Structures are given as structure tokens and as C-alpha cells.
Amino acid sequence: MPQPSPFDPGGFFEFDLAGGEVRARSGNRVLVLSDTVVAPLVSAAVQNGDLTAVRRLGRHMGEEVARALEGEAREAPPELVLGHAATIVSLFGWGRLRLERWGDALCARLDQLPQLDADHLAIAALLGGLFSALARHEVACVPVSSDGRFLLVDPQIAELVWNWSRAGDDVPAIVGRLAVGADAEAAG
């Protein structure tokens, strides 16, 4: 199988200053906004409990990754997919994306993430949409630390993980609780 070429961010955005438009390589119109403009909108969405639009943006970003890999994201090495995803996340100004492995658990980490809401729920929704598009399976990303860590979990247990995090459990404690639960389920 031929390897997809590395992602080239050059030329990703096309600026038509005379026409007043910015377009992504895919042809979709892009709006360039500062985080100080976006933050109140996201904060209102968090307060209303509806982050559907932010999750949809994450899905769009995941689809951009798949397009960059010429639709072969499922066959590409995970490092290549993550590299493309990190590039897209950075291009859209959401921070520097990395994945960490904690036992059997995956934790997304964003450095330099924008401060849109105190609990990072908007970033969680964005990452959930991104990883759901890449995995072609629904994924929830739960904020589990103040330093930009988000645990990738099944949406059915997202609230439980969120409650543990809010109660003060750190990433190792949460992963340990999940492993004990999985072990008990396998034994039962």
C-alpha cells in the first residue's frame, strides 16, 4: 500500500482580499476570528448546554484530516493520522495536539489551548467530534485536568469520568478506576 504524502499546510488557506473572502483548500469559506470574539459565543453555548456546533466543527476538522490522507485514514499508520490531525488543529488555532497513553487509555493533550470556558467543555466537544470522525465511531473527550488533558472514552461513561474528575481524581486515578471496572466486567 502506498504511503500518503505528509500533510503540507502551505496553501491551506487562500486569501481573496479584493473579494473579502478566505477559503480553505477544500473550497469552504473560512472566517478568521480571535479567541476573544469566539469565547463569549462558546461560553453561551456551554451555559445553554448545547455544544453541537463546536462538536460539528471538530467533525469537520476530522474530515479535513481524512481528505488530506486521501480517504485512507483507516489504513494509515496512527502516527501519520495524528500528525495530520495535530496540523489541522494548529491551523485552526486550537493549540498543539498530542496523544498520551495511560495504560490502555488514550488521553489527548492540547498545549496552548484557547481559554474559551473554565472547564474546557468546548475543547472537549471539538476533540470529541474530531476523534469521532477519525474513528468512524462516537467518542467523547472528557476534560480530566486543568493542563489540557482530555480522556477519550465511550460516550456512555463520559459523565461518570467527568464526575470523577470534578471530585478531584487525577488521570492515573481515573484510568485505574476504569481498569478495575473493566476487570470486574470481564470476570463477571
Side-chain angles (χ1 to χ4, degrees), residues 9-25 28-33 91:
F12 189 83
F13 295 115
E14 295 176 11
F15 294 87
D16 176 4
L17 299 180
E21 291 183 339
V22 178
R23 295 216 176 260
R25 190 178 346 203
N28 294 329
R29 186 172 183 166
V30 176
L31 301 178
V32 180
L33 300 171
L91 276 171

Side-chain angles (χ1 to χ4, degrees), residues 4 38 40 42 48 84 107 114 125-126 136 139:
V38 174
V42 170
N48 291 328
H84 279 51
C107 192
L126 179 98
R136 295 184 186 153
V139 174

Side-chain angles (χ1 to χ4, degrees), residues 90-174:
S90 292
L91 276 171
F92 279 84
W94 290 92
R96 181 175 167 240
L97 176 65
R98 296 182 285 153
L99 274 185
E100 300 174 344
R101 184 154 205 130
W102 291 77
D104 288 336
L106 286 177
C107 192
R109 181 164 183 179
L110 267 180
D111 295 324
Q112 303 299 320
L113 69 159
Q115 297 298 318
L116 301 175
D117 64 280
D119 293 322
H120 302 302
L121 296 175
I123 302 291
L126 179 98
L127 292 174
L130 172 83
F131 287 113
S132 293
L134 292 174
R136 295 184 186 153
H137 179 79
E138 288 303 309
V139 174
C141 290
V142 180
V144 290
S145 72
S146 61
D147 66 350
R149 284 191 171 95
F150 301 83
L151 199 58
L152 281 71
V153 298
D154 185 288
Q156 293 179 338
I157 65 164
E159 186 173 348
L160 177 64
V161 172
W162 170 249
N163 289 336
W164 291 341
S165 176
R166 297 292 289 175
D169 285 3
D170 59 6
V171 176
I174 292 169

